[in-house]
Amino acid sequence: VPRNSKGGVLVTEEELKAAFDFFDVDSSGKITLGNLRKRLGVFYKNMPAKEYRFLMNNKSEMTLEDLKELLLENEVKNFDPVAEAFKVYDPDGTGFVDSNVLRSIFENLGFGEITDDDLTILTETGDVDGDGKISLMDFRKML
């Protein structure tokens, strides 16, 4: 995991901007608790309110500058963001993306009904090593 100058997880300004834009669902220039719930609820169905507040640094809204201040020079040491993200797609810990979870996430993000053919295309796209499944290593290379 690349590190920043304080030894924490390296987060670039481009990554922060992309994340901010994803969570700023109404393009207001702010992330609200409601925005966060709307986006993360797709991935984490039963996340407690206190976790949302923690992620918002106990604020009701956050600007891009707030996010930069919070994350650019973080000191988070024992954390692998890609492995943590992968767990959402592999809730049973099989080592591979669960196709039903993948379908559900894309549908809940507003991509409409994901057919079996769509799922095959998504899997083939993410399957970097060609074994017919998306592993953590495939997921890392894809990102």
Side-chain angles (χ1 to χ4, degrees):
V1 176
R3 300 285 171 195
N4 63 25
S5 63
K6 293 188 176 185
V9 175
L10 177 66
V11 182
T12 67
E13 292 212 24
E14 294 81 21
E15 290 168 333
L16 282 175
K17 175 72 170 118
F20 184 85
D21 290 344
F22 177 75
F23 289 110
D24 182 15
V25 294
D26 55 4
S27 300
S28 66
K30 296 177 183 168
I31 299 171
T32 65
L33 278 168
N35 295 149
L36 200 62
R37 279 190 187 100
K38 182 173 184 171
R39 289 296 195 198
L40 289 182
V42 170
F43 304 99
Y44 303 100
K45 299 286 184 208
N46 299 314
M47 185 181 233
K50 69 179 184 174
E51 296 292 330
Y52 286 108
R53 286 191 301 275
F54 174 78
L55 290 173
M56 290 290 294
N57 204 25
N58 290 315
K59 297 179 178 183
S60 60
E61 59 185 33
M62 193 177 285
T63 65
L64 179 57
E65 288 306 311
D66 293 332
L67 193 62
K68 285 179 183 180
E69 186 177 309
L70 184 65
L71 295 177
L72 274 181
E73 293 301 320
N74 71 78
E75 296 181 31
V76 177
K77 304 247 189 293
N78 295 318
F79 182 73
D80 181 346
V82 176
E84 289 300 314
F86 185 77
K87 288 178 185 178
V88 171
Y89 296 90
D90 179 23
D92 296 326
T94 64
F96 301 98
V97 168
D98 180 297
S99 59
N100 291 324
V101 171
L102 186 62
R103 181 191 315 263
S104 174
I105 287 172
F106 272 85
E107 287 177 352
N108 288 328
L109 284 171
F111 288 98
E113 181 185 344
I114 302 300
T115 65
D116 288 344
D117 288 342
D118 295 332
L119 204 52
T120 298
I121 291 168
L122 287 169
T123 301
E124 287 172 354
T125 302
D127 178 21
V128 177
D129 63 12
D131 67 356
K133 301 178 271 187
I134 302 172
S135 67
L136 176 57
M137 293 311 294
D138 292 330
F139 195 72
R140 282 187 196 287
K141 290 176 184 173
M142 183 175 51
L143 293 178

